[in-house]
Amino acid sequence: MNPAKPVETQTATLAEIARAAGVSAPTVSKVLNGRADVAPATRSRVEELLRTHGYRRRRTEATRSPLIDVVFHELESAWAMEVIRGVENVAREAGLSVVLSESAGRLTPGRTWADQVAARRPHGVVLVLSDLDEPQRALLTSRSIPFVVMDPAGDPGADVPSIGATNWQGGLAATRHLVELGHTRIGALSGPSRMMCSRARVDGYRAALETAGLPVDPSLVLTGDFHHEAGYRLGLDLLRRPDRPTAVFAGNDLQALGLYEAARELGLRIPEDLSVVGFDDLPVARWVGPPLTTVRQPLTEMAEAAAKLVLDLGREEPSPVATRVELATSLVVRSSTAAPATGIDAATVMPKVSKEVSGRTSGAPGGA
């Protein structure tokens, strides 16, 4: 007699789930379809059985709405608009519509959101700077609703499809550009430390300084939240110091624009008194005065790739080979950077480097 399979590797039919839960098959169907007319205790019991038995509705059985769900942890900036544009491009071509949700700053959507998605039965879900907890992943998997994480806040795990960018390479290119110009005292305004992209950009900044033989001064690296206000507040902190930096790498364009305001308030000219590099290359970057030197993160292309991947995962065909991809960043040099007022010759600091540095594109699991 063969030993029984462990519960987590068994599959079960809807009728078997119903018997184990002590409910009818229509009740299990209501839970699967996100119906509200199920008692909370019954819903929890059924969801737990669906998860432990690894139940997964066959795609041919899943009636889908013509929708793609996009979930942001915050939905309030031009950054989000570039992402929405990319998903819309793919959705329009596929004859689908886009539903937007916000998790109010949390990196994991609330339980109500998961129930709503189950009820909508979209073609797929794109999570931007967000992730799902294990019960939420199981809920979507049991309904055969594929999901992809774009620009993951943390390590999404080897089994979670994701689209990112070469953040480390971007931070390296931004800082190397400033070192090439002759700056030796360079500050950094990071984003939230809980976000993987923030840490990678600052790691690239540190690597550029260390490679050039320059010391990394921890007091010049301040942590913000990727908003204008943080760039302004932290910028005042950096620029009021008697030994202020002559250049600053801002972790994103919004913080760079806040830094612009801090410099203006203190009577500092950009780039004569202070060089500034941002990250993202939002449309506004080319229209501020002076136009902002920044690292282009291909946000629209990343969103398009995430939407295409989630649609590919939902088809009956074999799953795509590459489900963890990083798109290249590149340095865009404009007018916000120049040699420091001391007139240091950049050639004496480090060898000349290209003004545009691109990261590699990776389609292999684990990215770059």
Side-chain angles (χ1 to χ4, degrees), residues 143-286:
R143 278 75 170 175
S144 290
I145 300 173
F147 60 92
V148 172
V149 181
M150 177 186 153
D151 206 8
D155 184 358
D159 60 335
V160 177
S162 65
I163 304 291
T166 53
N167 290 291
W168 183 89
Q169 187 68 33
L172 178 77
T175 312
R176 182 173 286 171
H177 168 65
L178 294 171
V179 173
E180 175 191 337
L181 289 172
H183 294 276
T184 58
R185 189 161 177 77
I186 302 170
L189 301 183
S190 170
S193 57
R194 62 179 176 167
M195 292 186 178
M196 192 164 58
C197 62
S198 298
R199 298 195 300 271
R201 292 169 196 177
V202 172
D203 286 346
Y205 154 87
R206 292 192 180 100
L209 293 179
E210 291 169 354
T211 301
L214 296 174
V216 178
D217 184 346
S219 71
L220 295 184
V221 182
L222 304 183
T223 300
D225 59 8
F226 281 155
H227 293 294
H228 292 91
E229 294 79 4
Y232 169 72
R233 174 174 47 82
L234 298 177
L236 287 176
D237 186 357
L238 276 179
L239 300 180
R240 280 173 173 159
R241 300 181 184 187
D243 58 346
R244 67 170 181 83
T246 60
V248 176
F249 166 47
N252 72 336
D253 287 350
L254 297 182
Q255 289 191 155
L257 297 181
L259 178 62
Y260 266 46
E261 177 60 20
R264 185 200 64 77
E265 188 173 301
L266 296 176
L268 297 175
R269 300 165 300 164
I270 299 172
E272 292 86 354
D273 303 315
L274 177 72
S275 286
V276 179
V277 181
F279 201 109
D280 284 334
D281 195 25
L282 298 177
V284 69
R286 70 189 67 179

Side-chain angles (χ1 to χ4, degrees), residues 173 176-180 331 350-357:
R176 182 173 286 171
H177 168 65
L178 294 171
V179 173
E180 175 191 337
L331 181 66
M350 71 175 295
K352 183 74 173 176
V353 297
S354 168
K355 284 190 174 181
E356 181 160 313
V357 182

Side-chain angles (χ1 to χ4, degrees), residues 177 260 276-278 291-295 331-337:
H177 168 65
Y260 266 46
V276 179
V277 181
L292 178 66
T293 293
T294 187
V295 175
L331 181 66
V332 181
V333 178
R334 297 194 178 103
S335 306
S336 67
T337 50

